[in-house]
Amino acid sequence: MTAQVVEALVHAAIKFAILVPGFVLALAALMSWIERRQSAMIQDRVGPNRASIGGVRAWGLFHIIADTLKFALKENIVPRGSNPLLFRLAPFMAMAPALIVFAVMPVGPTNRWVVSNLDVGILFIFAIGSLSVYGATIAGWSSNNNFSLLGALRVSAQMISYEVSLALNLVGVFMVFGSINLQTIIEGQGALLGGVLPKWGIVVQPVAFFLFLAASIAETKRTPFDAPEGEPELVSGYFTEYSGLALATWFLTEFAAVIMVAMMATAVFFGGWQIPWLPPTPALVATWWFQIACVMAFFAKTLFFVWVQMQLRWTLLRMRYDQIMTMGWKYILPISLANVLVTGLFLLLTR
Amino acid sequence: MSTETVREYLTEEEEDRIGLHTQEMILNMGPSHPATHGTVKFTLRLEGETIRDLDPDIGYLHRGFEKMCENATYTHAFPYTDRLNYCSPFINNVGYALAVEKLLGIEITERCKYVRTIISELHRISDHLTCLAATSLELGAFTVFLYGVQSREEIYVLTEEICGARLTVSYVRIGGLTDDLPESFADHWKLVKRRLDKNLYDIDKLIGRNRIFIDRMQNTGILDTETAISYGCTGPFLRACGVEYDVRDAAPYLVYDRLDWTMPTGTRGDNWDRFLIRLAEIEQSISMIDQCIEQMPEGPVRIDDWRVVLPPKDEVYNSIEAMMAHFKLIMEGLKVPPGEVYSYTEGANGELGFFIVSDGSGKPSRVHVRPPCYHLVAALPEIMRGKLIQDLVPTFDTINMIGGEIDR
Amino acid sequence: MQAYAHRGDECVVVARDQLVAVATHCRDEPSMHFDMVVDITAIDHLETFDEFRFEVVYHLYSLPHKHRLRIKVRLDEDDVHVPSVSGVWKGALWTERETYDMFGILFDGHPDLRRLLLYPEFEGHPLRKDYGFADIQPLVPLTDIGVPMSLGTPFAGTNRERGIAVGEGTSAAGKALIPQTTAFKPDVVYK
């Protein structure tokens, strides 16, 4: 019995170690480069392309290494008057939940491809994901800086407000697929509606998808919802006082959150690892090449949503704090409630 | 104060009763802060996100312009005026030259008038572009910022072709200019205009109908017309309030009365109106430059009076009169008859006034400049009181405070 | 009262005690309607004066009539008081502050007569003619702005003293946020 538990733990740890540092963190590091190159393309300029190793530039990919080195070599300043313990702890309090949530994300068709296939998968993501607000709030408060404090107040209010809408948007999906287990939801999206259209979340819950995207971008605190870090008035919001690797941790947290949003959108609304018009029959699922193809499909969809978020980040402007709140409480929340109501009525009538 | 406001903020006794104490937060914004480009410090008294009071603290760029002018000849002051509004140095040059010429009572040549109009309008475009770009940047539209600054760069290149400098131009002289426009100017301007038109079109497409941008700009930073007039606000700020006041129209100088142009005015006096007015004024300025190039006569750009302008170099080396005039002008400076004048031109942000007092010597006894944005920043506490802290950003941007000008 | 014009600029010299009355009349009289004070400044006639040393200059503009007027008030060297017109035009609030800053002319009744461009510890008034071009200001000792905010009571007590940083160094830029310690000393002292 104990041996089984240990074995399961070891398996989970290995899978987590492959998924999170191997994919999420690597992608997050890559995103710092993607973000700058993509914004450069939008803005008709070159962007970072100069870092080279032995004359090889590789489209500026070595900037990732250069940036990491730069962050690592800078002093980690702890401001006078701050609480040094909480100040140092805060980035990790924010980053740990942002990484843990990946544990329940099924990236492939069988249980082999998920760290832990929890029955309460999405609830786990919400429960752990909301913990990262503590990190940001404590960071802002412990910095002993008024800008940070204002940023912390904004971030806590914004994240808590949008969490409500975020969860409500997914209720409609739960009702359609009859489960909150992510693997079950993804499997449910393999069917074809009327024999043509894949029964993806976006097809059965289109309104929820767009509201989900808006609310989840607000959760990641990126433009147009980046009032907590609102650069022109709050300098950098709650992480104004951070420097060196602690600052890099904040960036990683943000990018991890972006990847998580992309994965959620993929899993819940875009069929997860499903390849459209290729129903996963048990015989097919048993083959290794199909499993690999499914994983590739999942990551391709994830990358697409990362790109979508980058595009939004660089084409939209910053909203005012009260406008963000108005949008969350007065528009997104009532519409999601109405969406749940309509979905429920529809399900009742067609049963 | 409305009853709503009273209900919103509890009295101290009420706070005591329910055991909930709120305190105002003092926030120092600046002088090194992303929003305060141009080094100014705001001391904000905040109640949550609401600004209870605001104290702009200027003077971080003070270098004693007025005192320096008292120690320099009239011509020496031109480089100092370049550094007043560094977004539009030509306008300052022209404004100062017009003031001294008014004091001297001389009339400049026709071609010089046209050239001065052209360069003023050129830098009005540059100033407005800087303002629009900065406003967009601070609201998150980095792309628009780059587009605006790219257009400004084109104007800088053109400026360099005119006078050899990009920023510190010192192009205008009392009684004329250092030199005529280069021959290639008209062709180069056509090229700049084409790119400018394209960039303006792109900027308009990017944010002109953007809901988020309009929501941030509309109904923020409003000052009612009476208060704005009482504060002495001028320029796009006052025109956004619906007052048709433009020095180019009210007291036409140079050749503005011969040009066909319209004055855009707003209705609400908010940030959005100011933004649109600046966009519209860029178009007007482009059309004015075109008209000037069309109408511009041939002829000298300096007056033929060696008591005021330096004689040409070959005359200096070959005739004793020119040599003497050159020596007197360089060593003693231009002798201006005693008196005092206040001369006003339309700067990019409003009325740019120069008050010059002469005691008859080669150096001005007193030079005072009325920077247009000074009165706008003075009104800023009145605009921002009771508003959100995030509204300060677009409001401060559309006020377009220029550090070199306000601090002198 | 004395009136003259030079190069088309009309100018009226008024007595000091009548200034506010004249200003109010200029603003309210419909035929004048000077609704805007464009600028306020002063002139120091140190080299040439016999009766008065300072002249305070008000430039007025009327938007509806499009005309301008300059009002002057002449002041003795040892009695540099002028009534403030900030109650008539709000535009006088900052311009009077600046004139006080630069010339040391005191505007009676001004609600907030502080230095505007220079820092509070500045000695003298630089646009007076007796202030030399090369005069150097003394160093201002560093001011302790109090205990840094402690974490237990982040916003207890009066914030005003803690929040507003006060002067440091000789330059206006020294008014920036200063380090919250008295141990900081500038390395270079400019003489």
Side-chain angles (χ1 to χ4, degrees), chain C residues 3-46:
Chain C
Y4 64 92
H6 178 74
R7 302 278 184 221
D9 289 4
E10 282 156 15
C11 181
V12 181
V13 181
V14 301
R16 180 170 64 185
D17 42 358
Q18 285 163 356
L19 174 68
V20 177
V22 169
T24 316
H25 182 71
C26 282
R27 184 192 63 180
D28 295 339
E29 166 67 33
S31 65
M32 295 199 274
H33 206 282
F34 286 108
D35 43 8
M36 191 186 267
V37 61
V38 173
D39 204 2
I40 297 175
T41 186
I43 312 170
D44 183 2
H45 295 286
L46 180 67

Short mmCIF file of all heavy atoms in Angstrom, two decimals, chain C residues 3-46:
data_model
loop_
_atom_site.label_atom_id
_atom_site.label_comp_id
_atom_site.label_asym_id
_atom_site.label_seq_id
_atom_site.Cartn_x
_atom_site.Cartn_y
_atom_site.Cartn_z
N ALA C 3 -1.75 107.40 -18.07
CA ALA C 3 -1.91 106.44 -19.17
C ALA C 3 -1.02 106.83 -20.32
O ALA C 3 -0.80 108.01 -20.58
CB ALA C 3 -3.37 106.40 -19.64
N TYR C 4 -0.44 105.86 -20.99
CA TYR C 4 0.37 106.13 -22.17
C TYR C 4 0.37 104.91 -23.06
O TYR C 4 -0.10 103.83 -22.68
CB TYR C 4 1.79 106.52 -21.78
CG TYR C 4 2.58 105.44 -21.08
CD1 TYR C 4 3.38 104.56 -21.81
CD2 TYR C 4 2.53 105.30 -19.70
CE1 TYR C 4 4.10 103.57 -21.17
CE2 TYR C 4 3.25 104.32 -19.05
CZ TYR C 4 4.03 103.46 -19.80
OH TYR C 4 4.74 102.49 -19.18
N ALA C 5 0.88 105.08 -24.26
CA ALA C 5 0.95 103.95 -25.17
C ALA C 5 2.32 103.94 -25.82
O ALA C 5 2.91 104.98 -26.09
CB ALA C 5 -0.13 104.05 -26.26
N HIS C 6 2.87 102.74 -26.01
CA HIS C 6 4.15 102.61 -26.68
C HIS C 6 4.05 101.44 -27.64
O HIS C 6 3.69 100.34 -27.25
CB HIS C 6 5.27 102.36 -25.65
CG HIS C 6 6.61 102.17 -26.26
ND1 HIS C 6 7.32 103.21 -26.78
CD2 HIS C 6 7.37 101.07 -26.44
CE1 HIS C 6 8.47 102.75 -27.27
NE2 HIS C 6 8.52 101.46 -27.07
N ARG C 7 4.35 101.72 -28.92
CA ARG C 7 4.27 100.69 -29.97
C ARG C 7 2.91 99.99 -29.98
O ARG C 7 2.82 98.78 -30.14
CB ARG C 7 5.36 99.64 -29.76
CG ARG C 7 6.76 100.17 -29.74
CD ARG C 7 7.30 100.35 -31.14
NE ARG C 7 8.70 100.77 -31.09
CZ ARG C 7 9.21 101.68 -31.88
NH1 ARG C 7 8.46 102.31 -32.76
NH2 ARG C 7 10.48 101.99 -31.80
N GLY C 8 1.89 100.75 -29.68
CA GLY C 8 0.55 100.18 -29.75
C GLY C 8 0.09 99.47 -28.50
O GLY C 8 -1.04 99.00 -28.44
N ASP C 9 0.97 99.36 -27.51
CA ASP C 9 0.55 98.72 -26.25
C ASP C 9 0.06 99.81 -25.31
O ASP C 9 0.82 100.70 -24.93
CB ASP C 9 1.74 98.00 -25.60
CG ASP C 9 2.12 96.77 -26.36
OD1 ASP C 9 1.53 96.52 -27.42
OD2 ASP C 9 3.02 96.06 -25.89
N GLU C 10 -1.20 99.71 -24.92
CA GLU C 10 -1.75 100.72 -24.03
C GLU C 10 -1.47 100.35 -22.59
O GLU C 10 -1.58 99.18 -22.20
CB GLU C 10 -3.26 100.88 -24.25
CG GLU C 10 -3.54 101.69 -25.48
CD GLU C 10 -4.88 101.42 -26.07
OE1 GLU C 10 -5.72 100.81 -25.37
OE2 GLU C 10 -5.10 101.81 -27.22
N CYS C 11 -1.10 101.37 -21.83
CA CYS C 11 -0.65 101.09 -20.47
C CYS C 11 -1.26 102.10 -19.51
O CYS C 11 -1.37 103.28 -19.83
CB CYS C 11 0.88 101.17 -20.43
SG CYS C 11 1.54 100.83 -18.82
N VAL C 12 -1.69 101.63 -18.36
CA VAL C 12 -2.25 102.49 -17.33
C VAL C 12 -1.47 102.27 -16.06
O VAL C 12 -1.21 101.13 -15.68
CB VAL C 12 -3.74 102.16 -17.09
CG1 VAL C 12 -4.32 103.07 -16.05
CG2 VAL C 12 -4.52 102.23 -18.37
N VAL C 13 -1.06 103.35 -15.43
CA VAL C 13 -0.38 103.23 -14.15
C VAL C 13 -1.39 103.59 -13.07
O VAL C 13 -2.00 104.65 -13.12
CB VAL C 13 0.83 104.16 -14.08
CG1 VAL C 13 1.53 104.00 -12.75
CG2 VAL C 13 1.78 103.89 -15.21
N VAL C 14 -1.62 102.68 -12.14
CA VAL C 14 -2.60 102.96 -11.09
C VAL C 14 -1.92 102.97 -9.74
O VAL C 14 -0.85 102.38 -9.57
CB VAL C 14 -3.77 101.94 -11.09
CG1 VAL C 14 -4.47 101.93 -12.42
CG2 VAL C 14 -3.27 100.56 -10.75
N ALA C 15 -2.57 103.64 -8.80
CA ALA C 15 -2.05 103.66 -7.43
C ALA C 15 -2.31 102.31 -6.79
O ALA C 15 -3.26 101.60 -7.14
CB ALA C 15 -2.72 104.76 -6.62
N ARG C 16 -1.45 101.96 -5.86
CA ARG C 16 -1.50 100.62 -5.29
C ARG C 16 -2.84 100.33 -4.60
O ARG C 16 -3.41 99.26 -4.77
CB ARG C 16 -0.36 100.47 -4.29
CG ARG C 16 -0.31 99.13 -3.64
CD ARG C 16 0.96 98.99 -2.88
NE ARG C 16 1.02 99.94 -1.78
CZ ARG C 16 2.09 100.08 -1.01
NH1 ARG C 16 3.16 99.36 -1.25
NH2 ARG C 16 2.10 100.94 -0.03
N ASP C 17 -3.35 101.31 -3.85
CA ASP C 17 -4.56 101.02 -3.08
C ASP C 17 -5.81 100.97 -3.97
O ASP C 17 -6.87 100.56 -3.52
CB ASP C 17 -4.74 102.04 -1.96
CG ASP C 17 -4.42 103.45 -2.41
OD1 ASP C 17 -4.03 103.57 -3.60
OD2 ASP C 17 -4.56 104.39 -1.62
N GLN C 18 -5.68 101.39 -5.22
CA GLN C 18 -6.84 101.32 -6.10
C GLN C 18 -6.79 100.13 -7.03
O GLN C 18 -7.70 99.94 -7.85
CB GLN C 18 -6.94 102.59 -6.95
CG GLN C 18 -7.43 103.77 -6.14
CD GLN C 18 -7.15 105.07 -6.83
OE1 GLN C 18 -6.52 105.10 -7.89
NE2 GLN C 18 -7.60 106.15 -6.21
N LEU C 19 -5.76 99.32 -6.90
CA LEU C 19 -5.54 98.27 -7.88
C LEU C 19 -6.72 97.30 -7.99
O LEU C 19 -7.23 97.05 -9.08
CB LEU C 19 -4.26 97.49 -7.54
CG LEU C 19 -4.03 96.28 -8.42
CD1 LEU C 19 -3.73 96.70 -9.83
CD2 LEU C 19 -2.92 95.41 -7.89
N VAL C 20 -7.16 96.80 -6.82
CA VAL C 20 -8.22 95.79 -6.87
C VAL C 20 -9.50 96.40 -7.43
O VAL C 20 -10.21 95.78 -8.24
CB VAL C 20 -8.44 95.18 -5.48
CG1 VAL C 20 -9.59 94.19 -5.51
CG2 VAL C 20 -7.17 94.48 -5.03
N ALA C 21 -9.77 97.66 -7.04
CA ALA C 21 -10.98 98.32 -7.55
C ALA C 21 -10.89 98.48 -9.06
O ALA C 21 -11.85 98.19 -9.80
CB ALA C 21 -11.15 99.68 -6.88
N VAL C 22 -9.72 98.91 -9.54
CA VAL C 22 -9.55 99.09 -10.98
C VAL C 22 -9.67 97.75 -11.69
O VAL C 22 -10.33 97.63 -12.73
CB VAL C 22 -8.17 99.74 -11.26
CG1 VAL C 22 -7.85 99.68 -12.74
CG2 VAL C 22 -8.15 101.16 -10.77
N ALA C 23 -9.04 96.70 -11.11
CA ALA C 23 -9.08 95.38 -11.75
C ALA C 23 -10.51 94.87 -11.84
O ALA C 23 -10.94 94.38 -12.88
CB ALA C 23 -8.21 94.41 -10.96
N THR C 24 -11.25 95.01 -10.75
CA THR C 24 -12.63 94.54 -10.75
C THR C 24 -13.45 95.31 -11.77
O THR C 24 -14.26 94.74 -12.51
CB THR C 24 -13.24 94.71 -9.35
OG1 THR C 24 -12.29 94.27 -8.40
CG2 THR C 24 -14.50 93.90 -9.20
N HIS C 25 -13.21 96.62 -11.84
CA HIS C 25 -13.94 97.44 -12.80
C HIS C 25 -13.60 97.00 -14.22
O HIS C 25 -14.49 96.87 -15.08
CB HIS C 25 -13.59 98.91 -12.59
CG HIS C 25 -14.32 99.84 -13.50
ND1 HIS C 25 -15.67 100.09 -13.36
CD2 HIS C 25 -13.91 100.53 -14.58
CE1 HIS C 25 -16.05 100.92 -14.30
NE2 HIS C 25 -15.00 101.20 -15.07
N CYS C 26 -12.31 96.78 -14.47
CA CYS C 26 -11.89 96.34 -15.81
C CYS C 26 -12.57 95.04 -16.19
O CYS C 26 -12.90 94.81 -17.36
CB CYS C 26 -10.38 96.14 -15.86
SG CYS C 26 -9.46 97.65 -15.99
N ARG C 27 -12.76 94.18 -15.22
CA ARG C 27 -13.35 92.88 -15.54
C ARG C 27 -14.86 93.02 -15.75
O ARG C 27 -15.42 92.42 -16.66
CB ARG C 27 -13.07 91.90 -14.40
CG ARG C 27 -13.57 90.50 -14.68
CD ARG C 27 -13.54 89.66 -13.45
NE ARG C 27 -14.43 90.19 -12.43
CZ ARG C 27 -14.60 89.63 -11.23
NH1 ARG C 27 -13.93 88.56 -10.91
NH2 ARG C 27 -15.42 90.16 -10.35
N ASP C 28 -15.52 93.83 -14.91
CA ASP C 28 -16.98 93.82 -14.89
C ASP C 28 -17.62 94.83 -15.83
O ASP C 28 -18.74 94.64 -16.27
CB ASP C 28 -17.48 94.05 -13.47
CG ASP C 28 -17.08 92.92 -12.55
OD1 ASP C 28 -16.79 91.83 -13.09
OD2 ASP C 28 -17.02 93.12 -11.33
N GLU C 29 -16.92 95.92 -16.13
CA GLU C 29 -17.48 96.93 -17.01
C GLU C 29 -17.67 96.34 -18.42
O GLU C 29 -16.72 95.88 -19.03
CB GLU C 29 -16.53 98.13 -17.03
CG GLU C 29 -16.77 99.14 -18.13
CD GLU C 29 -18.08 99.89 -17.98
OE1 GLU C 29 -18.49 100.14 -16.83
OE2 GLU C 29 -18.71 100.20 -19.01
N PRO C 30 -18.92 96.33 -18.93
CA PRO C 30 -19.15 95.63 -20.21
C PRO C 30 -18.35 96.20 -21.37
O PRO C 30 -17.99 95.46 -22.28
CB PRO C 30 -20.65 95.82 -20.45
CG PRO C 30 -21.21 96.19 -19.14
CD PRO C 30 -20.15 96.88 -18.35
N SER C 31 -18.05 97.50 -21.35
CA SER C 31 -17.32 98.05 -22.48
C SER C 31 -15.84 97.63 -22.45
O SER C 31 -15.15 97.74 -23.45
CB SER C 31 -17.42 99.56 -22.49
OG SER C 31 -16.77 100.08 -21.35
N MET C 32 -15.37 97.17 -21.31
CA MET C 32 -13.98 96.70 -21.24
C MET C 32 -13.92 95.18 -21.20
O MET C 32 -13.32 94.55 -22.05
CB MET C 32 -13.29 97.31 -20.02
CG MET C 32 -13.15 98.80 -20.12
SD MET C 32 -11.92 99.43 -19.02
CE MET C 32 -12.86 99.64 -17.53
N HIS C 33 -14.56 94.59 -20.17
CA HIS C 33 -14.70 93.15 -20.10
C HIS C 33 -13.36 92.43 -20.25
O HIS C 33 -13.18 91.57 -21.11
CB HIS C 33 -15.69 92.66 -21.18
CG HIS C 33 -16.34 91.36 -20.80
ND1 HIS C 33 -15.69 90.16 -20.93
CD2 HIS C 33 -17.54 91.08 -20.28
CE1 HIS C 33 -16.47 89.19 -20.51
NE2 HIS C 33 -17.61 89.72 -20.10
N PHE C 34 -12.42 92.82 -19.43
CA PHE C 34 -11.14 92.11 -19.44
C PHE C 34 -11.29 90.83 -18.62
O PHE C 34 -11.12 90.83 -17.41
CB PHE C 34 -10.03 93.00 -18.87
CG PHE C 34 -9.62 94.08 -19.81
CD1 PHE C 34 -9.96 95.40 -19.58
CD2 PHE C 34 -8.89 93.78 -20.95
CE1 PHE C 34 -9.59 96.40 -20.46
CE2 PHE C 34 -8.52 94.78 -21.83
CZ PHE C 34 -8.87 96.08 -21.58
N ASP C 35 -11.65 89.74 -19.32
CA ASP C 35 -11.96 88.53 -18.55
C ASP C 35 -10.74 87.66 -18.31
O ASP C 35 -10.84 86.60 -17.72
CB ASP C 35 -13.05 87.72 -19.27
CG ASP C 35 -12.83 87.64 -20.75
OD1 ASP C 35 -11.77 88.08 -21.21
OD2 ASP C 35 -13.72 87.16 -21.45
N MET C 36 -9.59 88.08 -18.76
CA MET C 36 -8.43 87.20 -18.65
C MET C 36 -7.22 88.02 -18.23
O MET C 36 -6.95 89.06 -18.82
CB MET C 36 -8.19 86.56 -20.02
CG MET C 36 -7.20 85.44 -20.04
SD MET C 36 -6.89 84.93 -21.73
CE MET C 36 -8.07 83.64 -21.93
N VAL C 37 -6.52 87.55 -17.19
CA VAL C 37 -5.23 88.17 -16.91
C VAL C 37 -4.19 87.29 -17.58
O VAL C 37 -4.02 86.13 -17.25
CB VAL C 37 -4.99 88.40 -15.40
CG1 VAL C 37 -4.97 87.11 -14.62
CG2 VAL C 37 -3.69 89.16 -15.19
N VAL C 38 -3.60 87.82 -18.61
CA VAL C 38 -2.71 87.02 -19.42
C VAL C 38 -1.42 86.73 -18.67
O VAL C 38 -0.90 85.63 -18.68
CB VAL C 38 -2.43 87.75 -20.75
CG1 VAL C 38 -1.38 87.02 -21.55
CG2 VAL C 38 -3.70 87.86 -21.55
N ASP C 39 -0.94 87.75 -17.97
CA ASP C 39 0.34 87.58 -17.33
C ASP C 39 0.52 88.62 -16.23
O ASP C 39 -0.04 89.71 -16.31
CB ASP C 39 1.46 87.73 -18.36
CG ASP C 39 2.72 87.02 -17.93
OD1 ASP C 39 2.66 86.39 -16.86
OD2 ASP C 39 3.72 87.08 -18.65
N ILE C 40 1.28 88.25 -15.24
CA ILE C 40 1.67 89.20 -14.21
C ILE C 40 3.17 89.05 -14.01
O ILE C 40 3.67 87.94 -13.89
CB ILE C 40 0.94 88.94 -12.87
CG1 ILE C 40 -0.57 89.12 -13.04
CG2 ILE C 40 1.46 89.86 -11.79
CD1 ILE C 40 -1.35 88.76 -11.83
N THR C 41 3.85 90.17 -14.02
CA THR C 41 5.28 90.09 -13.74
C THR C 41 5.71 91.42 -13.13
O THR C 41 4.87 92.24 -12.76
CB THR C 41 6.08 89.75 -15.01
OG1 THR C 41 7.44 89.55 -14.66
CG2 THR C 41 5.96 90.84 -16.04
N ALA C 42 6.99 91.63 -12.99
CA ALA C 42 7.46 92.86 -12.38
C ALA C 42 8.73 93.30 -13.09
O ALA C 42 9.35 92.54 -13.82
CB ALA C 42 7.74 92.65 -10.89
N ILE C 43 9.07 94.56 -12.90
CA ILE C 43 10.31 95.12 -13.46
C ILE C 43 11.08 95.76 -12.30
O ILE C 43 10.48 96.40 -11.45
CB ILE C 43 10.03 96.20 -14.53
CG1 ILE C 43 8.99 95.70 -15.55
CG2 ILE C 43 11.29 96.58 -15.25
CD1 ILE C 43 8.50 96.79 -16.46
N ASP C 44 12.37 95.53 -12.31
CA ASP C 44 13.22 96.15 -11.29
C ASP C 44 14.03 97.26 -11.96
O ASP C 44 14.81 97.00 -12.88
CB ASP C 44 14.16 95.08 -10.71
CG ASP C 44 15.01 95.64 -9.60
OD1 ASP C 44 14.85 96.84 -9.28
OD2 ASP C 44 15.83 94.88 -9.05
N HIS C 45 13.81 98.51 -11.53
CA HIS C 45 14.53 99.64 -12.12
C HIS C 45 15.67 100.06 -11.23
O HIS C 45 15.81 101.23 -10.90
CB HIS C 45 13.58 100.83 -12.32
CG HIS C 45 12.50 100.57 -13.31
ND1 HIS C 45 12.73 100.52 -14.65
CD2 HIS C 45 11.18 100.33 -13.17
CE1 HIS C 45 11.60 100.27 -15.28
NE2 HIS C 45 10.64 100.15 -14.41
N LEU C 46 16.50 99.16 -10.80
CA LEU C 46 17.52 99.49 -9.81
C LEU C 46 18.49 100.55 -10.32
O LEU C 46 18.81 101.49 -9.60
CB LEU C 46 18.29 98.22 -9.42
CG LEU C 46 19.38 98.42 -8.39
CD1 LEU C 46 18.77 98.80 -7.06
CD2 LEU C 46 20.23 97.18 -8.24
#
